[in-house]
Amino acid sequence: ENDIVDFSFSEQTGAATIDPVAHTVSIEVANGTDLSSLTPTFTSSSFATTNPASGVAQDFSSPFVYEITAQDGTQQDWTVTVTEAVGILPIVAPFRMNVFGADYEKDGDLFIAENTDYLFVAESTITQTANTSYTPYSVPGGHTALYYPRRFGTDFGYNFPIANGNYTVRVHMVENFQTASGIRVFDILLEGNVVEDDLDLVASFGKGVLALKSYDIQVSDGELNLAFLASLNNGIVQAIEILPLTQSSENSILTFSLAEETGPANVDPVNHTVSIEVSNGVKSSPLIPTITISSSAAISPASGVAQDFSSPVNFTVTAEDGTPQSWTVIVTEAAPPITKIIENFDSYGTG
């Protein structure tokens, strides 16, 4: 007898397949395993010898051949093929998942069935699932196939492999059981940071009401981590969305004022100009503008910094998405007051 009877690696994902007819061994190891240096443990037929021996590291990046020699000297080559398990596939935003549910379309957006490859449950805890109706239930449009299925537990979450970048995470939750506040209380964490502290769905929304919470997050390690940690009872979730963070392209000056102005500024959003008049005699001095701009935009020079407006001044407003826009501010000076000269004093009398 010159067979391989069993074959294993500490890195294997499951038992080896041994084919005594084709004299092959097929085995899979965990994703990320270095195939060029693996140490197998195997046994061969009684009284047979093996070359190389069990327990010696080998390069399995390509099929590796073992020679098994029976007690009577009969030799047999055995080919061992090692494959690496496919890793968890990264998600691509927009990504929507129906927790413990099947594929479901809501308002034109597809929520795919939950992939538990992304799920994690803390040691010594469990997570449970359910897909039953409950009352009251007041989610607009119904969508019971999305909001009846749910997952709940004391310490669980999801690790989503995803490209580094900025995302909006939307968490859909409906209280399905508790009827009083102070019974189900939990935190929501993103990237290890608490984004929702001591959330009480009954207190904040009521039973059977959709709670839709949205958070902006930056991923820098190739994995988006979402967790639910309960302080009372269980955390709960029905659906999750991960969307590209939409950055504003707005780069407007909204208001512009000077303490010395004679009236409101004229802000022209088409030509990107600001025209404003100040009192006579002050234009030659540095003036301090107060400027408001589009949300999340930046301006240079900054509001509140004195400028010489004796000639037009250019300001650059940069939108959240990096789009710049030049604005020209033109300050004019009011005409001097008119002084009336009295030419004939006699006509006015002496008082």
Side-chain angles (χ1 to χ4, degrees):
E1 296 292 320
N2 47 18
D3 292 329
I4 288 180
V5 178
D6 60 62
F7 193 102
S8 65
F9 292 114
S10 60
E11 301 87 350
Q12 70 190 46
T13 60
T17 299
I18 299 174
D19 186 337
V21 176
H23 304 105
T24 60
V25 177
S26 300
I27 188 168
E28 182 185 77
V29 293
N31 181 261
T33 300
D34 182 6
L35 301 185
S36 67
S37 182
L38 287 173
T39 303
T41 299
F42 61 90
T43 57
S44 57
S45 303
S46 298
F47 307 110
T49 59
T50 63
N51 183 34
S54 172
V56 178
Q58 306 295 339
D59 182 357
F60 288 96
S61 55
S62 58
F64 189 85
V65 177
Y66 284 90
E67 184 181 87
I68 311 298
T69 304
Q71 186 180 29
D72 65 3
T74 306
Q75 295 180 341
Q76 179 62 58
D77 287 343
W78 282 75
T79 301
V80 177
T81 302
V82 180
T83 55
E84 185 180 354
V86 176
I88 299 175
L89 295 176
I91 67 170
V92 177
F95 172 84
R96 298 176 174 89
M97 188 172 76
N98 184 6
V99 174
F100 194 59
D103 287 359
Y104 181 78
E105 188 172 301
K106 177 187 178 184
D107 301 330
D109 296 323
L110 176 63
F111 289 74
I112 65 170
E114 180 185 40
N115 184 343
T116 55
D117 285 344
Y118 306 129
L119 176 70
F120 80 85
V121 182
E123 255 185 78
S124 74
T125 69
I126 61 171
T127 178
Q128 302 177 67
T129 54
N131 185 5
T132 54
S133 63
Y134 46 92
T135 56
Y137 181 83
S138 57
V139 176
H143 304 295
T144 56
L146 186 63
Y147 296 125
Y148 278 175
R150 63 267 186 190
R151 183 175 293 278
F152 52 97
T154 57
D155 188 354
F156 72 100
Y158 299 87
N159 296 325
F160 297 104
I162 194 170
N164 290 340
N166 298 307
Y167 300 93
T168 296
V169 179
R170 304 177 75 193
V171 182
H172 301 235
M173 300 160 288
V174 183
E175 177 56 68
N176 71 298
F177 186 76
Q178 307 299 344
T179 56
S181 61
I183 299 177
R184 186 197 303 278
V185 179
F186 60 98
D187 296 344
I188 300 175
L189 295 85
L190 276 167
E191 299 298 275
N193 299 312
V194 175
V195 294
E196 202 69 53
D197 188 30
D198 290 339
L199 178 60
D200 185 328
L201 293 175
V202 171
S204 299
F205 300 93
K207 183 179 178 182
V209 180
L210 175 61
L212 180 55
K213 307 292 286 186
S214 183
Y215 315 96
D216 293 340
I217 193 72
Q218 182 180 49
V219 175
S220 57
D221 60 356
E223 187 174 78
L224 192 156
N225 310 114
L226 170 65
F228 302 86
L229 179 62
S231 54
L232 292 173
N233 197 260
N234 295 297
I236 189 170
V237 62
Q238 274 89 347
I240 298 165
E241 296 180 85
I242 300 173
L243 312 174
L245 179 60
T246 302
Q247 294 185 311
S248 173
S249 61
E250 295 295 319
N251 47 19
S252 296
I253 287 179
L254 304 178
T255 65
F256 189 101
S257 63
L258 296 165
E260 301 83 356
E261 68 189 31
T262 61
N266 178 29
V267 180
D268 184 341
V270 176
N271 296 309
H272 305 106
T273 60
V274 176
S275 302
I276 188 168
E277 183 184 77
V278 295
S279 301
N280 182 261
V282 303
K283 183 179 175 182
S284 59
S285 303
L287 302 176
I288 300 174
T290 300
I291 313 167
T292 60
I293 57 177
S294 302
S295 177
S296 302
I299 187 169
S300 179
S303 174
V305 177
Q307 304 294 332
D308 179 0
F309 288 100
S310 58
S311 59
V313 176
N314 289 324
F315 288 81
T316 300
V317 181
T318 304
E320 184 183 25
D321 68 359
T323 306
Q325 178 61 59
S326 180
W327 285 76
T328 301
V329 177
I330 301 169
V331 177
T332 57
E333 195 171 71
I338 298 174
T339 302
K340 186 174 183 179
I341 301 173
I342 299 175
E343 296 179 348
N344 187 350
F345 288 94
D346 291 339
S347 65
Y348 285 88
T350 60

